[in-house]
C-alpha cells in the first residue's frame, strides 16, 4: 500500500468509528434551524453535510484543514527556487490532515506523473467535437470518456465489499487528478493553437508540467500556476460544483461521473464561469470607453450602466463571504510582486476601489466585495493566456484536488445516499398560514 493511502486508511478508520458513536449517542442533537427564507433562497447556511477538507468563514474566508491561504504559502513545500506552494502539498494536507514534507510532495508528483497517461479514445472523443465547442464542454466530455478507466465501477461490477469503496475511490481520484493537466492542455492547444500539442515534461511537478503543456514558458507562469491551482482547490462542500460532486457520488456513481457533473456546475456564470465573464467585461469596457487606462469615474459610470442593463457585475458578490475574498487578495499580492506594468491588472485594482460602493448603494447586495474570479483573468492575460473561454477549465483542474479528496473521505466514512426534502409552494402557503 502506498504511503499516502496507508496514512489515509489509519485516519479514516478511526474517524468512522467516532462518527458512528456520535450518530448513535447524539443523533438527535439540533445543529440549527431552517427558516422559510432559506428554503426560498437556495438553502443558504443550512448545515447539511460533512466535508473534511476545508471550511469557509464569512469574514475570514477559506481555511484548508485549519490553514489560511497566507499560512499555506508559508508552510506547504515549494519547488526548489520557487516561493509558491505546490498543489501536491495541499492535496496531501486535505487528504490526511498533515503538512507534508518535501519528500512527501516529491513522491506525490512522481506518483501522479506515473498515472498521467490519457487513453487514446479520450483524445478521439475531444476531436469528435466541433473545434469551437466551449472548452468546459470539451473538458466534461473528456472526463466522461475516461470513465472507462474507473476502478470503482469495475470493482463494483465484480461485487466489491462496501469496506473497499474508499480504496477504489482513492485509486480513481489519484488517476483522474494525474490525467487532468494533460487533457486540459490538449483542449487548450486544440482550441487555440491549431492542435499543435506539447509533450509532457516528466521532470516537472503537476502544475509546472501543466503550464509547460499549455505552451506558456517561463518560471513566473509556472509559479502562477502553482499558486492558482492551490487557491482554487476547495471551498468547503456547499458550493455548487463541490455539492454536485458530493451528491452524484453519494449514489455510488464513480469519481469520473461525479467530477464531470461538478464541472458542469462550475461552468455556470454565477459560479466558475465568472472568471471568463470578468475579463470579457474588462475587454468590453476598454473597447467601449476607447482606452485601456480608464479613470475611476469612467469605471463607475460603466459599472452603473451594466447594472442599469439588468446584468450582474461579474467577480463581485458571494453566497457566503462578507469580506474581500482572500483568494482575490492572494492573486493581488502575486500581481504586485510579479507584474510591474499591466493595464488590465490596474483596471482590476481600480474596480476594487469603485464597485463595492456602487453595489452597496443598491441596498440588496449581501456582499459587495470581489471574489476569487475578479482577479485571475488580468494576470493570465499578462502572461499571454488571453483566450478567456478557457479560464474555467483552469479552475476545474484545481477544483479536482479538493472535491476528490473530500469524496474519498465520504466513501471511507460510509456516508449514505443524499436525499433532502422538497416541498411545494402549496405546502409552504398552508404551513405558514397554520403557523
Ligand atoms: N452584481 C449585481 N447584482 C448582484 C451582485 C453583483 N455582483 N451580487 C449580488 N447581486 C444581487 C443579486 O443578483 C440579487 O438580486 P435580486 O434580488 O434582484 O435577484 C441581490 O443582489 C441579492 O443577492 P445576494 O444575496 O447578495 O447574492 P446571492 O448569494 O444570491 O448570489 C452570487 C451570490 C455570487 C451568485 C452573486 O453575488 C453574483 O451573481 N455575483 C456575480 C457573479 C459571480 O461573480 N459569481 C462568482 C462567485 C464566486 C464563485 O462561485 N466562483 O466560482
Amino acid at each position: 500500500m502506498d504511503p499516502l493511502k496507508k496514512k489515509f486508511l489509519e485516519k479514516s478508520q478511526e474517524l468512522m468509528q467516532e462518527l458512528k458513536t456520535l450518530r448513535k449517542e447524539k443523533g438527535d442533537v439540533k445543529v440549527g434551524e431552517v427558516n422559510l427564507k432559506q428554503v426560498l433562497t437556495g438553502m443558504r447556511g443550512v448545515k447539511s453535510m460533512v466535508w473534511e477538507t476545508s471550511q469557509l468563514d464569512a469574514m475570514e474566508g477559506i481555511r484548508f484543514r485549519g490553514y489560511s491561504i497566507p499560512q499555506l504559502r508559508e508552510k506547504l513545500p515549494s519547488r526548489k527556487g520557487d516561493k509558491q506552494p505546490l498543489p501536491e502539498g495541499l492535496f496531501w494536507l486535505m487528504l490526511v490532515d498533515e503538512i507534508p514534507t518535501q519528500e512527501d510532495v516529491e513522491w506525490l508528483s512522481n506518483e501522479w506523473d506515473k498515472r498521467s497517461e490519457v487513453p487514446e479514445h479520450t483524445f478521439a472523443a475531444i476531436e469528435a467535437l466541433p473545434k469551437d465547442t466551449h472548452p468546459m464542454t470539451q473538458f466534461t466530455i473528456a472526463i466522461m470518456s475516461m470513465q472507462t478507466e474507473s476502478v470503482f465501477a469495475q470493482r463494483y461490477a465484480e461485487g466489491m465489499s462496501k469496506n473497499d469503496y474508499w480504496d477504489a475511490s482513492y485509486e480513481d481520484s489519484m488517476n483522474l487528478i494525474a490525467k487532468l493537466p494533460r487533457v486540459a492542455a490538449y483542449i487548450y492547444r486544440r482550441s487555440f493553437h491549431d492542435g499543435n500539442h506539447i509533450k509532457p515534461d516528466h521532470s516537472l511537478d503537476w502544475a509546472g508540467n501543466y503550464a509547460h503543456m499549455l505552451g506558456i514558458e517561463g518560471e513566473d507562469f509556472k509559479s502562477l500556476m502553482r499558486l492558482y491551482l492551490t487557491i482554487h482547490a476547495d471551498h468547503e462542500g456547499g458550493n455548487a460544483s463541490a455539492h454536485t460532486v458530493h451528491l452524484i457520488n453519494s449514489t455510488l456513481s464513480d469519481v469520473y461521473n461525479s467530477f464531470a457533473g461538478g464541472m458542469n456546475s462550475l461552468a455556470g456564470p454565477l459560479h466558475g464561469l465568472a472568471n471568463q465573464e470578468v475579463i470579457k467585461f474588462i475587454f468590453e469596457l476598454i473597447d467601449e470607453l476607447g482606452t485601456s487606462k480608464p479613470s475611476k469615474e469612467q469605471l463607475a459610470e460603466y459599472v452603473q450602466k451594466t447594472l442599469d442593463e439588468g446584468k450582474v457585475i461579474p467577480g463581485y458578490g458571494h453566497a457566503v463571504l462578507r469580506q474581500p475574498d482572500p483568494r482575490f487578495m492572494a492573486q493581488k499580492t502575486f500581481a504586485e510582486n510579479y507584474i510591474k506594468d499591466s493595464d488590465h491588472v490596474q483596471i482590476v485594482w481600480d474596480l476594487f476601489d469603485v464597485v463595492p460602493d456602487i453595489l452597496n448603494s443598491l441596498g440588496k447586495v449581501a456582499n459587495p466585495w470581489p471574489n476569487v474570479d475578479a482577479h485571475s483573468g488580468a494576470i493570465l492575460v499578462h502572461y499571454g493566456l488571453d483566450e478567456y473561454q478557457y479560464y474555467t477549465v483552469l479552475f476545474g483542474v484545481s477544483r479536482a484536488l479538493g472535491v476528490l479528496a473530500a469524496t474519498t473521505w465520504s466513501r471511507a466514512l460510509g456516508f449514505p445516499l443524499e436525499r433532502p426534502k422538497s416541498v411545494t409552494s402549496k405546502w409552504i402557503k398552508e404551513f405558514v398560514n397554520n403557523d
Side-chain angles (χ1 to χ4, degrees), residues 41 44 232 235 239-241 266 268-275 277-278 307 311-320 322 325 327 355 359 362 364-369 371-374 395 399:
T41 58
R44 297 287 184 279
H232 287 76
H235 220 224
N239 70 79
S241 52
L266 194 73
L270 296 189
H271 192 15
L273 203 80
N275 62 5
E277 295 302 296
V278 168
L307 291 169
K311 297 190 263 187
V312 296
I313 307 303
Y316 280 78
H318 201 272
V320 180
R322 296 295 177 259
D325 191 332
R327 300 170 299 172
V355 173
L359 289 182
L362 299 179
K364 63 172 183 178
V365 181
N367 175 42
W369 299 110
N371 59 55
V372 64
D373 298 314
F395 193 156
R399 194 39 68 95

Side-chain angles (χ1 to χ4, degrees), residues 355-426:
V355 173
D357 281 348
I358 301 176
L359 289 182
N360 266 334
S361 74
L362 299 179
K364 63 172 183 178
V365 181
N367 175 42
W369 299 110
N371 59 55
V372 64
D373 298 314
H375 211 312
S376 50
I379 302 181
L380 293 167
V381 167
H382 173 77
Y383 289 106
L385 209 166
D386 56 4
E387 300 92 350
Y388 55 74
Q389 301 90 329
Y390 186 72
Y391 289 178
T392 313
V393 176
L394 292 165
F395 193 156
V397 171
S398 172
R399 194 39 68 95
L401 301 176
V403 299
L404 298 186
T407 293
T408 310
W409 272 99
S410 298
R411 296 289 62 80
L413 298 174
F415 291 147
L417 178 79
E418 187 172 277
R419 196 353 178 146
K421 175 91 187 106
S422 67
V423 290
T424 61
S425 57
K426 182 165 176 273

Side-chain angles (χ1 to χ4, degrees), residues 34-98:
V34 180
N35 60 34
L36 182 57
K37 197 164 111 193
Q38 289 169 302
V39 176
L40 292 173
T41 58
M43 302 188 279
R44 297 287 184 279
V46 178
K47 295 184 190 76
S48 57
M49 71 179 101
V50 176
W51 192 266
E52 290 295 281
T53 46
S54 67
Q55 188 152 9
L56 183 59
D57 178 83
M59 307 309 278
E60 266 198 343
I62 192 68
R63 279 184 182 265
F64 302 84
R65 293 285 189 179
Y67 295 100
S68 66
I69 288 175
Q71 287 170 331
L72 287 187
R73 293 179 80 178
E74 209 182 282
K75 291 187 187 295
L76 287 182
S78 306
R79 193 167 164 97
K80 208 165 165 241
D82 191 11
K83 289 196 206 107
Q84 304 303 334
L86 285 165
E88 285 88 334
L90 178 61
F91 181 75
W92 184 289
L93 171 67
M94 288 191 291
L95 196 70
V96 293
D97 195 13
E98 281 176 22

Side-chain angles (χ1 to χ4, degrees), residues 189-352:
R189 301 294 301 180
R190 170 179 193 252
S191 298
F192 305 111
H193 291 274
D194 296 326
N196 184 4
H197 298 292
I198 297 169
K199 286 201 169 60
D201 176 345
H202 299 286
S203 69
L204 284 167
D205 52 292
W206 187 72
N209 193 24
Y210 183 21
H212 160 73
M213 289 185 288
L214 287 170
I216 298 166
E217 287 304 338
E219 286 312 304
D220 284 6
F221 187 70
K222 289 190 180 70
S223 293
L224 172 67
M225 280 295 99
R226 291 176 190 126
L227 176 69
Y228 184 103
L229 298 177
T230 297
I231 63 176
H232 287 76
D234 205 28
H235 220 224
E236 74 171 34
N239 70 79
S241 52
H243 189 195
T244 308
V245 175
H246 180 77
L247 171 64
I248 298 178
N249 198 253
S250 82
T251 71
L252 300 186
S253 198
D254 61 61
V255 154
Y256 294 85
N257 286 333
S258 311
F259 185 63
M263 289 302 96
N264 282 319
S265 181
L266 194 73
L270 296 189
H271 192 15
L273 203 80
N275 62 5
Q276 85 162 37
E277 295 302 296
V278 168
I279 202 71
K280 194 166 155 230
F281 174 82
I282 291 175
F283 286 162
E284 283 169 1
L285 82 79
I286 289 174
D287 261 4
E288 215 164 295
L289 299 176
T291 171
S292 63
K293 295 182 191 297
S295 66
K296 288 187 185 169
E297 291 68 31
Q298 283 177 302
L299 288 177
E301 265 175 45
Y302 192 85
V303 167
Q304 191 58 57
K305 180 175 99 57
T306 306
L307 291 169
D308 294 344
E309 288 166 357
K311 297 190 263 187
V312 296
I313 307 303
Y316 280 78
H318 201 272
V320 180
L321 285 169
R322 296 295 177 259
Q323 283 287 318
D325 191 332
R327 300 170 299 172
F328 173 88
M329 299 312 285
Q331 294 177 81
K332 186 166 182 283
T333 305
F334 181 95
E336 283 159 358
N337 290 333
Y338 286 74
I339 300 176
K340 294 291 161 257
D341 190 19
S342 156
D343 289 347
H344 297 102
V345 167
Q346 191 57 50
I347 290 174
V348 167
W349 295 350
D350 288 346
L351 286 170
F352 184 25

Side-chain angles (χ1 to χ4, degrees), residues 63-237:
R63 279 184 182 265
F64 302 84
R65 293 285 189 179
Y67 295 100
S68 66
I69 288 175
Q71 287 170 331
L72 287 187
R73 293 179 80 178
E74 209 182 282
K75 291 187 187 295
L76 287 182
S78 306
R79 193 167 164 97
K80 208 165 165 241
D82 191 11
K83 289 196 206 107
Q84 304 303 334
L86 285 165
E88 285 88 334
L90 178 61
F91 181 75
W92 184 289
L93 171 67
M94 288 191 291
L95 196 70
V96 293
D97 195 13
E98 281 176 22
I99 297 277
T101 62
Q102 194 72 35
E103 214 184 5
D104 294 332
V105 294
E106 278 166 21
W107 172 83
L108 191 51
S109 274
N110 283 332
E111 187 61 29
W112 285 350
D113 186 55
K114 279 193 241 158
R115 294 171 183 249
S116 65
E117 195 151 327
V118 173
E120 273 310 312
H121 69 256
T122 292
F123 297 125
I126 298 171
E127 290 298 339
L129 298 166
K131 224 173 169 180
D132 59 356
T133 304
H134 193 279
M136 276 306 275
T137 311
Q138 298 189 52
F139 190 49
T140 49
I141 286 171
I143 295 160
M144 282 308 306
S145 78
M146 292 192 283
Q147 195 269 344
T148 50
E149 309 279 296
S150 172
V151 173
F152 189 100
Q154 194 190 326
R155 287 198 201 155
Y156 193 87
E158 291 163 3
M160 161 170 64
S161 154
K162 55 162 70 166
N163 297 332
D164 295 331
Y165 290 169
W166 73 271
D167 185 295
S169 285
Y170 173 89
E171 292 300 330
D172 276 352
S173 297
M174 291 283 279
N175 288 337
L176 179 53
I177 290 169
K179 293 175 201 320
L180 286 177
R182 184 79 210 282
V183 167
Y186 188 93
I187 292 166
Y188 176 69
R189 301 294 301 180
R190 170 179 193 252
S191 298
F192 305 111
H193 291 274
D194 296 326
N196 184 4
H197 298 292
I198 297 169
K199 286 201 169 60
D201 176 345
H202 299 286
S203 69
L204 284 167
D205 52 292
W206 187 72
N209 193 24
Y210 183 21
H212 160 73
M213 289 185 288
L214 287 170
I216 298 166
E217 287 304 338
E219 286 312 304
D220 284 6
F221 187 70
K222 289 190 180 70
S223 293
L224 172 67
M225 280 295 99
R226 291 176 190 126
L227 176 69
Y228 184 103
L229 298 177
T230 297
I231 63 176
H232 287 76
D234 205 28
H235 220 224
E236 74 171 34

